Amino acid sequence: MKERIASILSNALERIAAVRSMKGLEETRVYILGKKGTLSQVQQGMRDVPKEEKPEVGRILNEARGAISAALEQRQTALQAEADREAVTAVDLTMPGRTLPAGGIHPLTLVRDEAVRILRRMGFALAEGPEIEDEFHCFDALNTPTDHPARNEKDTFYFDNGKLLRTQTSTVQIRAMEHLSPPVRIVSPGSAYRRDDIDATHLSVFTQIEGLYVNEDVTVGDLKGTLEYFLKSLFGAETAVRFRPHFFPFTEPSFEIDVLLQAAGQAPKWIEIAGCGMVNPAVFEAVDREKGTREYGGLTGFAFGIGLERLAMIRWGIRDIRLLIENDARFLDQFQA
């Protein structure tokens, strides 16, 4: 048995050294170590070895298997090195490399990140919430009456289980107040969904950034000062800002915000850019009822919301909102970092 093992080992090492391809090496491995391989057959014969010789024969057998496995691994490494060398023999390493096209940041990401940076410098913390919402967080807590058009299936995407795709990121404001004790100062960028017909100025999914500040004695002056600073930081110190009275169910009083801007390629004009207002006390009452507390009773605050698509379209003179979702490289190349 010992002589047979030694003979198999010698022949195996010679056979492995002579192999010239990965396929041949695998065939050699199976021939020697496979289930019906030469060494495996010897191992099956261990049952016929006298008991007193089994320890030594077993040791020799294991050493042979180890030596063969090591030889196979070394030959595999050598064959791979040869293949690598052959692969580059026709390559001129002195030729200059090809310049790969540089990636760019999407315009919506650019304007979102800048808006968040400005608001974080003002003390706003970043907050987020789910895009699949319930009616309480999307409508009820925001003082939206049951007959409001936004709650109609023609305007909102509902699921069979009663859940819906949020129509605004104001839902994050409610969730933030549910989990935080005042004062609260948060900004929440994210996607919102409405059943709008897609055209040059409307999409069924769009991106908002909303802010909320709640504390004692927050006033309309705080609201105006915050948003004027934000918009002038975004569009330039000379930007004119005006507030027009409006109506939103979740703020009272409410305002639309216009800025006097010269969009690229256009004459200066007033452009509606955001909605805002002082948080309606009914919103605080709804949050306190849900929490079972009176944390927000007697406090005041303001909230605002801005569409990031509108900001991007104004900043870069984009005439068609659909360009922001088409992933046309010719369009996106203009915003390379």
Side-chain angles (χ1 to χ4, degrees):
M1 178 69 78
K2 297 177 186 178
E3 291 76 11
R4 188 179 176 190
I5 294 174
S7 176
I8 291 174
L9 174 60
S10 176
N11 291 334
L13 295 179
E14 290 179 4
R15 188 179 183 118
I16 292 169
V19 169
R20 291 291 179 266
S21 68
M22 289 292 187
K23 181 180 179 182
L25 187 66
E26 176 60 18
E27 291 174 350
T28 299
R29 185 196 67 80
V30 172
Y31 176 78
I32 302 167
L33 301 180
K35 189 174 181 180
K36 296 182 180 180
T38 55
L39 193 65
S40 300
Q41 289 178 353
V42 171
Q43 186 172 357
Q44 292 175 4
M46 282 290 292
R47 60 178 176 268
D48 299 325
V49 176
K51 184 176 180 181
E52 63 275 10
E53 295 183 14
K54 281 188 176 181
E56 185 178 0
V57 174
R59 176 183 60 79
I60 294 173
L61 185 62
N62 289 334
E63 290 177 352
R65 181 177 292 276
I68 292 170
S69 297
L72 288 168
E73 186 174 345
Q74 291 174 4
R75 190 56 184 153
Q76 181 180 12
T77 301
L79 288 172
Q80 185 61 56
E82 290 177 11
D84 292 342
R85 285 193 297 271
E86 290 178 3
V88 298
T89 52
V91 177
D92 185 353
L93 299 180
T94 64
M95 292 182 65
R98 296 179 181 177
T99 302
L100 296 176
I105 301 177
H106 195 280
L108 287 181
T109 303
L110 289 171
V111 74
R112 181 202 65 193
D113 290 350
E114 184 174 357
V116 169
R117 282 195 298 269
I118 295 169
L119 290 165
R120 293 198 68 158
R121 289 201 302 267
M122 301 169 68
F124 286 81
L126 197 61
E128 59 182 14
E131 295 183 9
I132 297 178
E133 269 291 5
D134 52 52
E135 287 197 283
F136 173 78
H137 290 92
C138 196
F139 297 125
D140 297 336
L142 290 165
N143 197 40
T144 306
T146 55
D147 59 351
H148 194 280
R151 305 184 74 148
N152 194 295
E153 290 184 353
K154 293 182 179 179
D155 291 332
T156 298
F157 293 98
Y158 282 92
F159 295 96
D160 292 340
N161 62 1
K163 298 274 188 173
L164 53 93
L165 292 176
R166 66 184 181 191
T167 60
Q168 56 200 347
T169 50
S170 302
T171 57
V172 182
Q173 299 175 17
I174 301 301
R175 291 188 174 276
M177 287 189 284
E178 286 178 343
H179 292 90
L180 300 174
S181 296
V184 174
R185 193 194 301 254
I186 58 113
V187 56
S188 55
S191 298
Y193 305 84
R194 295 177 188 172
R195 288 184 181 273
D196 287 336
D197 293 330
I198 297 177
D199 55 29
T201 57
H202 296 85
L203 295 173
S204 57
V205 55
F206 55 97
T207 313
Q208 286 186 328
I209 185 168
E210 298 209 13
L212 171 72
Y213 176 44
V214 179
N215 207 344
E216 296 179 357
D217 301 322
V218 178
T219 67
V220 172
D222 297 318
L223 166 64
K224 293 183 67 177
T226 298
L227 290 178
E228 284 179 356
Y229 175 83
F230 170 72
L231 292 170
K232 289 183 177 183
S233 297
L234 199 62
F235 292 109
E238 303 304 318
T239 303
V241 181
R242 73 181 182 188
F243 292 75
R244 291 181 290 105
H246 195 71
F247 171 76
F248 299 110
F250 35 83
T251 53
E252 180 59 38
S254 304
F255 307 93
E256 290 276 13
I257 308 174
D258 301 331
V259 290
L260 185 61
L261 295 173
Q262 183 172 4
Q266 303 178 26
K269 62 179 180 180
W270 288 101
I271 300 176
E272 176 191 324
I273 202 167
C276 66
M278 302 301 293
V279 178
N280 193 314
V283 174
F284 292 143
E285 292 172 6
V287 172
D288 276 338
R289 282 198 305 272
E290 185 71 9
K291 296 179 69 173
T293 66
R294 295 184 178 181
E295 287 184 313
Y296 288 91
L299 298 182
T300 55
F302 64 75
F304 60 88
I306 303 174
L308 292 180
E309 284 83 359
R310 181 179 290 271
L311 292 182
M313 292 175 75
I314 292 171
R315 167 166 289 187
W316 288 291
I318 300 169
R319 301 295 185 89
D320 194 323
I321 195 173
R322 290 169 290 195
L323 289 169
L324 296 171
I325 63 170
E326 289 176 347
N327 292 325
D328 189 325
R330 296 168 298 178
F331 171 74
L332 297 176
D333 278 348
Q334 302 174 64
F335 306 96
Q336 288 186 7

